[in-house]
Amino acid sequence: MIRIVVLISGGGSNLQSLLDQCQAGILDAQIGAVISNRPDAFGLSRARQAGVKALTLDHTDFTERAAFDRALAELVDAQQPDLIVLAGFMRILTDDFVKQFAGKMINIHPSLLPLYPGLNTHQRALDAGDSKAGATVHFVTAELDGGPAIARVEVDITDQDNAESLARKVLTQEHKLYPAVVDWFVKGRLSLNNNQALLDDSPLPKGGCVLDTAAL
């Protein structure tokens, strides 16, 4: 069975969607550990409630980012993961960390990448006058939110939307998108080769395939 380690920094709602699907047998995988860089992250409580190992590595205990990443790599590696899932992990990872786990680490970002990497994605979409927003799952590389895209979901932006309402709409879709992509990896359908995301050995589009979450 595929073993997953989830990295979080906050509430862990995407973590919860993965926990639920694993417990329901929809995902044929085991979440072996949840690791947070913040001791007060609510996602740790979600893990404990699900009977999953909840670990903390407080980044404030380290004076250098590289030192934290080395310790994190050791902690992650000790869990023997087949897949590392970043679910609201608010740390920029060093090149060495990314290289160590290349091809088996994915992240979800609340924009239609390559648009709006980084923070404040929903307000930036509104300020740009975009008609759509969404979320993208991608392989993690050294470039911030710049790894090969795997899949995305889109939501309409209406005149009534603000950053908060748009964030809620996108997050609801993330909870469907992320487990679907993880399932591809679990079933051996998803891979990374020469910085290209492949599904069933076929290259995925540059921005990732668009999923209809209503069908999930």
Side-chain angles (χ1 to χ4, degrees):
M1 181 178 290
I2 293 291
R3 185 172 173 86
I4 300 172
V5 167
V6 183
L7 304 185
I8 64 167
S9 294
S13 65
N14 272 310
L15 164 65
Q16 188 65 59
S17 68
L18 294 171
L19 289 168
D20 290 346
Q21 294 220 6
C22 286
Q23 290 181 332
I26 299 170
L27 274 177
D28 186 21
Q30 176 190 18
I31 297 180
V34 173
I35 302 173
S36 174
N37 66 304
R38 296 183 181 276
D40 60 348
F42 181 66
L44 292 170
S45 297
R46 295 181 188 271
R48 294 187 191 102
Q49 187 171 1
V52 172
K53 186 188 303 182
L55 304 172
T56 298
L57 187 69
D58 192 338
H59 67 277
T60 63
D61 291 339
F62 297 81
T63 57
E64 296 179 348
R65 186 160 62 98
F68 170 80
D69 275 20
R70 285 193 296 271
L72 180 62
E74 290 180 6
L75 184 59
V76 169
D77 200 41
Q79 314 310 314
Q80 299 181 311
D82 301 294
L83 175 67
I84 301 162
V85 174
L86 276 59
F89 186 64
M90 303 302 289
R91 297 282 301 175
I92 297 175
L93 296 165
T94 57
D95 289 0
D96 286 344
F97 186 97
V98 171
K99 288 175 183 176
Q100 181 173 342
F101 300 107
K104 61 177 186 178
M105 182 161 56
I106 60 175
N107 182 43
I108 191 164
H109 183 73
S111 80
L112 299 175
L113 291 173
L115 294 175
Y116 318 127
L119 302 175
N120 303 317
T121 57
H122 306 299
Q123 189 59 55
R124 290 157 71 189
L126 291 168
D127 291 345
D130 293 347
S131 61
K132 291 185 180 294
T136 309
V137 178
H138 63 94
F139 280 105
V140 177
T141 63
E143 181 183 356
L144 176 64
D145 298 325
I150 301 166
R152 62 170 65 195
V153 290
E154 298 177 351
V155 301
D156 292 328
I157 299 177
T158 69
D159 292 339
Q160 289 73 43
D161 274 319
N162 56 32
E164 291 74 24
S165 66
L166 189 55
R168 289 193 295 270
K169 286 201 296 190
V170 171
L171 187 60
T172 297
Q173 298 304 310
E174 288 183 33
H175 295 162
K176 301 175 183 178
L177 172 65
Y178 219 179
V181 173
V182 170
D183 188 54
W184 290 347
F185 190 95
V186 167
K187 291 177 176 175
R189 301 179 61 196
L190 181 64
S191 61
L192 180 68
N193 185 43
N194 292 326
N195 209 41
Q196 171 70 63
L198 305 176
L199 183 63
D200 298 330
D201 297 322
S202 297
L204 285 162
K206 186 175 180 180
C209 58
V210 179
L211 289 191
D212 177 8
T213 57
L216 297 176

